[in-house]
Amino acid sequence: MSQERMTKRRYFVDLGQLALEEHFESEERMTFTVVAGGSLVPDGYVETVAITAVEIRPDVFLISWKEESGATITHLEDFERGVVHSRITLPDGTPLALTGTIKPLD
């Protein structure tokens, strides 16, 4: 999957304590909807963020963004294997490392 093919696609990301839907609107913009936020984010929360996405190899992308809350997120999304590695720094500076699955919704 090229970076161009990633755009205008929707994915379900399950990180255990956090589950969300990602909608890549362009190479620089994504809207996420929190399906299950655990104690991190309210369920149903929606935000559109500016992203930086780099294709590491075919079907593997390094994607990062900063949220309105001040949290910073970096995902290594491996679409070939259906795996996502997430590194989150919460607004208070607390780091989180989560690994889960990523599946296409369309």
Side-chain angles (χ1 to χ4, degrees):
M1 169 188 311
S2 70
Q3 191 161 349
E4 183 178 292
R5 285 181 53 210
M6 182 179 78
T7 62
K8 300 187 186 344
R9 299 284 313 259
R10 300 173 83 83
Y11 297 91
F12 182 76
V13 176
D14 185 349
L15 296 165
Q17 72 182 95
L18 178 65
L20 57 119
E21 291 182 10
E22 296 178 334
H23 178 208
F24 292 96
E25 299 165 13
S26 72
E27 293 180 14
E28 294 99 20
R29 184 176 157 107
M30 175 187 70
T31 296
F32 65 88
T33 302
V34 176
V35 175
S39 60
L40 300 173
V41 185
D43 294 357
Y45 179 77
V46 178
E47 185 174 339
T48 299
V49 292
I51 62 170
T52 302
V54 176
E55 188 172 15
I56 303 300
R57 65 170 171 74
D59 293 330
V60 177
F61 292 85
L62 185 63
I63 303 166
S64 60
W65 66 90
K66 184 173 184 175
E67 297 178 359
E68 289 177 5
S69 69
T72 58
I73 291 82
T74 300
H75 278 188
L76 182 68
E77 297 186 351
D78 185 336
F79 296 102
E80 179 183 2
R81 295 188 176 122
V83 175
V84 60
H85 300 277
S86 180
R87 299 301 179 260
I88 301 168
T89 302
L90 298 175
D92 68 1
T94 302
L96 294 174
L98 305 171
T99 298
T101 60
I102 185 166
K103 297 177 183 176
L105 291 173
D106 51 17

